[in-house]
Amino acid sequence: MKLLELLNQLGIETPSFIAGMSGAIAFITKRKDMNWTTRFLTVLSGGFTANYLTPITGEWLSLNEKALYGIAFLLGYSGMKSVEVILSRFTKQLHKSDNEKPQQ
């Protein structure tokens, strides 16, 4: 099995993953206080954040496919902060839809 096939089976879309890792690399160039382990994990988590959140973000914002790579970069750059923002908005949306359901 080829590496790209394996990544695809694991749900990793290579372009989004690479864009997210690139964003994380841009982020760590600003930080001088990180050791190599932290830098490596930041780049890896930036890739995973972008990989799994880009489709959701693109859907919510009604973006075209070309814009998704930019979103993937930004998600990789912002890392866990973007996860917090998206999770907060998702939670608000769930509460809003729960409140709109008719009472039985």
Side-chain angles (χ1 to χ4, degrees):
M1 179 177 294
K2 295 180 182 178
L3 178 61
L4 291 178
E5 291 173 358
L6 175 64
L7 292 175
N8 232 0
Q9 286 185 346
L10 295 173
I12 296 173
E13 296 181 24
T14 310
S16 293
F17 190 75
I18 291 172
M21 289 184 1
S22 299
I25 290 169
F27 173 75
I28 65 172
T29 60
K30 295 179 8 173
R31 304 285 306 265
K32 304 297 181 204
D33 60 337
M34 300 171 89
N35 63 36
W36 283 105
T37 303
T38 304
R39 288 174 186 254
F40 174 76
L41 293 174
T42 298
V43 170
L44 198 58
S45 66
F48 284 117
T49 299
N51 183 72
Y52 295 115
L53 293 183
T54 296
I56 295 169
T57 305
E59 183 72 26
W60 279 349
L61 299 175
S62 300
L63 299 173
N64 67 34
E65 192 170 328
K66 290 184 179 182
L68 294 181
Y69 299 124
I71 293 298
F73 180 89
L74 293 173
L75 288 169
Y77 183 88
S78 59
M80 292 307 295
K81 189 63 178 171
S82 59
V83 173
E84 291 172 10
V85 169
I86 291 170
L87 188 58
S88 171
R89 291 186 185 235
F90 180 70
T91 304
K92 286 178 186 176
Q93 188 174 359
L94 283 177
H95 289 300
K96 181 180 176 184
S97 64
D98 283 345
N99 291 336
E100 292 174 355
K101 290 182 181 176
Q103 300 285 329
Q104 293 184 4

